Amino acid sequence: MQQIKKDFPIFKRTINGKPLVYLDNASTTQKPIVMLKVLENFYFTSNANIHRGIYTLSEEATDKYEAVRKKAAKFIGARTEEEIIFTKNTTEAINCVRVSWGEKNIKKGDEIVVSSLEHHANLVPWQELAKSKQAALKIIPLTNDYTLDAEAYKKLLSPKTKLVCLTVESNVTGTIVPVKQMTALAHAVGAKVMIDGAQSVGHIPTDVHNLNCDFFAFSAHKMLGPTGVGVLYVKQSLMEEMAPFMYGGEMVESVKATSATYRSGPWKFEAGTPNIAGVIAFGAAIDYLSNIGFKKIMAHEQELLAYAKKMLAKYPQVKIFSPSQKHAGGIISFAISGVHPHDIATIFNNEGIAIRSGLHCAEPLMNYLGVYGTARMSFYIYNTKKDIDTAEKALKKVLKTFKL
Amino acid sequence: MDIYTETILDHYQHPHHTGALNDATVSATEHNPLCGDVIKLDLKIKNNVVEKIGFVGNGCAISQASISLLCDAVEGKKISSLKKLKPKDIYDLLGVTISPGRIKCALLGLSALQKALKLTKN
């Protein structure tokens, strides 16, 4: 893992005269040159629209695009590529479920259960759906260890529950949620389950078939792929009854002057020209990650997390928001009493270190944690212990600047 | 450049004019959705002059120092002159270069003040 930084051209950059230390991987990851080459090559040598032209270029583009659907399906353990819908990101994928499944299936008096660890992307769409359908939104509370309260969750479930929305990994605390057990409990009361895998798919193995969830969303850009590509997995038995998400070209079967019929399978949900180059390049990102393997990725992140936790714990002024090790991925949030997270981030940036600060698109969670925001370090394959040593130097500067 | 000058840190750690006013004639609240900073500004205006000003809020060193400095500058001033305040005036008070990401922090107080002045009858 020591040589991996060399595969990422951005690490040649300096920030404020210092080598870039990138610790904001939960926001987006950096891009390996192999993926960038595929992106470039597509536009240089293969650019054409898909599913349309009866000519070589278009057929090539279609084949490459559809091959990534297969690859993505395999990567997350879907049974067939027909369960994979390409979207622009996780947020759009979740909103597709809200519109295409939620509008039809959520009714007055129903209940939607969401966890208190959710990113706004897996919360606000359900707030809106609940509001418009006069359904109730129920929140699974946190324990003192920043995990979800399993007992409280069981009590929230009832035959009224129609949908349960869970993240696999919190983008703030790094908490890994036991989604498989929670999915089984939701199914036992007849609810469907929407999983947000944005933080997990590039970090821990995913097996949607084994997980048995109904919907699963994630983004390419958080796992070395380009921005503008997301995936929505939908269990095949549910897809047919779902309404189209958007209407227009590509998703139609036959169009008359005043009506139209629609394609079936994932193509029904992909109206208009998709991010063809992005999807194809995403395939290269999947290959890159597969070559390294999750065993190595997970061991590396766990090592960095433990090292970072130990470093932060040396400073009594620092409060850490992270569950006990076995429940955490490579994300750690912290706060310093008397220093705003933005000021921490500014001083880190002076040292060339990119960290995220603020609310992390998880405002309700900040309220549960009782803070106005946190500073967050999130790790990936190219990070090193040296990066965390540099972070410690910056942390010392924060404490010195604010005389703490 | 280091933006954490003595002045800024001093105003952040010991801000002036904190606390709500019981006899405010106008108030305005402003918040920065990106970082959650919130401030409520109370003004007591008499004969078109800001007699007293107080604020309640929380935020980063830049936002809190700029509000504290702004309150110092505003007290005793005529509304007509305060309406002319521009972002540059705030940057001058702070005395440091504000990067694009922190502009909203630096101008949180000014935008609350402008909101309050709009609510004030001439």
Side-chain angles (χ1 to χ4, degrees):
Chain A
M1 303 294 274
Q2 291 302 318
Q3 297 301 312
I4 274 179
K5 260 190 187 173
K6 288 194 181 122
D7 294 345
F8 293 77
I10 202 161
F11 291 114
K12 288 183 192 134
R13 261 205 78 163
T14 55
I15 304 288
N16 294 317
K18 316 264 168 60
L20 166 66
V21 172
Y22 187 77
L23 296 175
D24 193 18
N25 294 288
S27 270
T28 194
T29 62
Q30 296 303 339
K31 316 303 175 196
I33 199 143
V34 283
M35 186 282 284
L36 297 169
K37 285 280 177 208
V38 172
L39 193 61
E40 185 187 75
N41 280 343
F42 176 76
Y43 285 122
F44 270 66
T45 64
S46 311
N47 181 51
N49 213 326
I50 54 168
H51 300 146
R52 281 176 191 168
I54 309 299
Y55 53 86
T56 304
L57 277 185
S58 176
E59 284 168 353
E60 266 179 31
T62 306
D63 285 351
K64 284 182 180 170
Y65 181 87
E66 290 301 326
V68 178
R69 197 187 302 277
K70 232 177 219 173
K71 196 172 278 187
K74 202 176 155 216
F75 194 72
I76 64 163
R79 271 200 281 194
T80 145
E81 68 271 23
E82 296 204 10
E83 294 179 315
I84 301 296
I85 299 166
F86 286 121
T87 63
K88 75 173 179 201
N89 51 33
T90 303
T91 301
E92 190 179 80
I94 293 170
N95 275 281
C96 176
V97 177
R98 174 181 66 84
V99 171
S100 301
W101 180 86
E103 285 294 331
K104 225 195 259 182
N105 290 284
I106 299 295
K107 301 198 166 64
K108 190 176 172 179
D110 286 348
E111 293 181 357
I112 301 172
V113 173
V114 302
S115 95
S116 49
L117 289 172
E118 298 313 306
H119 184 282
H120 294 164
N122 203 21
L123 169 65
V124 181
W126 311 122
Q127 290 177 345
E128 283 303 315
L129 184 65
K131 215 191 294 171
S132 72
K133 298 288 179 183
Q134 291 180 279
L137 195 67
K138 305 271 171 171
I139 315 286
I140 311 164
L142 275 187
T143 66
N144 292 334
D145 192 33
Y146 311 112
T147 57
L148 293 178
D149 186 333
E151 288 310 308
Y153 171 59
K154 282 179 201 158
K155 282 186 196 140
L156 286 177
L157 294 173
S158 79
K160 282 185 185 171
T161 315
K162 291 293 168 329
L163 181 68
V164 173
C165 306
L166 302 168
T167 184
V168 184
E169 180 175 341
S170 159
N171 70 312
V172 176
T173 58
T175 306
I176 307 252
V177 174
V179 280
K180 192 180 172 187
Q181 293 94 303
M182 292 177 80
T183 297
L185 289 167
H187 284 162
V189 296
K192 298 285 182 267
V193 178
M194 164 87 239
I195 303 282
D196 173 358
Q199 293 300 338
S200 70
V201 174
H203 301 263
I204 54 178
T206 305
D207 186 341
V208 286
H209 183 54
N210 177 262
L211 180 56
N212 200 22
C213 60
D214 301 284
F215 311 104
F216 189 102
F218 65 101
S219 294
H221 74 95
K222 289 191 201 285
M223 47 185 293
L224 311 180
T227 52
V229 176
V231 170
L232 173 63
Y233 158 87
V234 177
K235 206 185 254 178
Q236 208 170 19
S237 56
L238 287 174
M239 205 184 266
E240 213 48 46
E241 58 150 297
M242 283 167 62
F245 177 38
M246 287 188 283
Y247 296 90
E250 300 249 16
M251 52 77 69
V252 287
E253 197 178 59
S254 155
V255 183
K256 304 252 164 34
T258 57
S259 68
T261 56
Y262 310 113
R263 294 173 75 175
S264 59
W267 302 278
K268 179 165 83 178
F269 304 92
E270 294 176 17
T273 299
N275 187 348
I276 304 166
V279 166
I280 293 169
F282 177 40
I286 293 176
D287 290 341
Y288 184 91
L289 285 174
S290 303
N291 285 338
I292 298 172
F294 280 115
K295 209 177 151 193
K296 266 194 195 167
I297 295 172
M298 288 194 297
H300 183 68
E301 286 185 22
Q302 285 303 315
E303 192 184 355
L304 292 179
L305 177 68
Y307 191 71
K309 240 183 183 176
K310 211 170 136 195
M311 180 277 278
L312 291 172
K314 281 196 274 180
Y315 301 90
Q317 305 94 321
V318 176
K319 181 162 170 54
I320 303 170
F321 302 96
S322 172
S324 51
Q325 190 76 9
K326 61 179 173 156
H327 300 299
I331 296 174
I332 190 162
S333 267
F334 64 97
I336 303 170
S337 177
V339 190
H340 192 279
H342 274 22
D343 295 315
I344 301 174
T346 294
I347 293 172
F348 272 56
N349 185 55
N350 290 344
E351 301 304 308
I353 308 166
I355 59 164
R356 178 79 187 264
S357 59
L359 307 172
H360 314 289
C361 295
E363 215 174 319
L365 178 56
M366 292 298 133
N367 294 331
Y368 308 139
L369 299 178
V371 288
Y372 294 115
T374 68
R376 177 188 73 190
M377 298 194 283
S378 50
F379 312 112
Y380 211 19
I381 48 174
Y382 34 70
N383 290 119
T384 59
K385 285 186 178 172
K386 203 178 144 204
D387 291 345
I388 295 165
D389 293 339
T390 313
E392 182 172 14
K393 274 184 211 154
L395 178 65
K396 281 182 182 161
K397 286 206 173 159
V398 173
L399 298 175
K400 195 178 159 209
T401 302
F402 286 86
K403 303 180 182 83
L404 294 170
Chain B
M1 191 193 140
D2 189 13
I3 58 170
Y4 300 103
T5 59
E6 279 303 317
T7 309
I8 286 176
L9 285 172
D10 191 45
H11 277 270
Y12 172 57
Q13 290 176 329
H14 311 284
H16 305 173
H17 303 278
T18 54
L21 298 185
N22 295 325
D23 50 353
T25 55
V26 65
S27 303
T29 302
E30 194 62 87
H31 92 290
N32 181 352
L34 288 178
C35 50
D37 289 4
V38 183
I39 69 147
K40 183 173 172 275
L41 206 56
D42 285 342
L43 283 85
K44 186 188 173 196
I45 297 172
K46 208 174 166 189
N47 302 325
N48 293 321
V49 170
V50 176
E51 269 196 350
K52 261 201 286 183
I53 186 163
F55 80 93
V56 182
N58 62 74
C60 66
I62 303 304
S63 80
Q64 298 304 290
S66 91
I67 293 158
S68 175
L69 285 157
L70 178 68
C71 288
D72 279 354
V74 159
E75 210 165 68
K77 294 273 162 53
K78 277 189 180 163
I79 291 178
S80 53
S81 73
L82 294 176
K83 281 188 171 168
K84 289 179 198 149
L85 279 174
K86 296 267 178 311
K88 191 186 172 293
D89 301 312
I90 305 297
Y91 304 146
D92 288 347
L93 284 173
L94 287 165
V96 294
T97 309
I98 298 297
S99 70
R102 301 301 285 273
I103 287 174
K104 201 126 196 213
C105 312
L107 300 182
L108 196 65
L110 177 63
S111 77
L113 177 68
Q114 286 167 337
K115 231 185 200 180
L117 293 178
K118 257 186 207 163
L119 294 169
T120 309
K121 287 185 204 115
N122 281 328

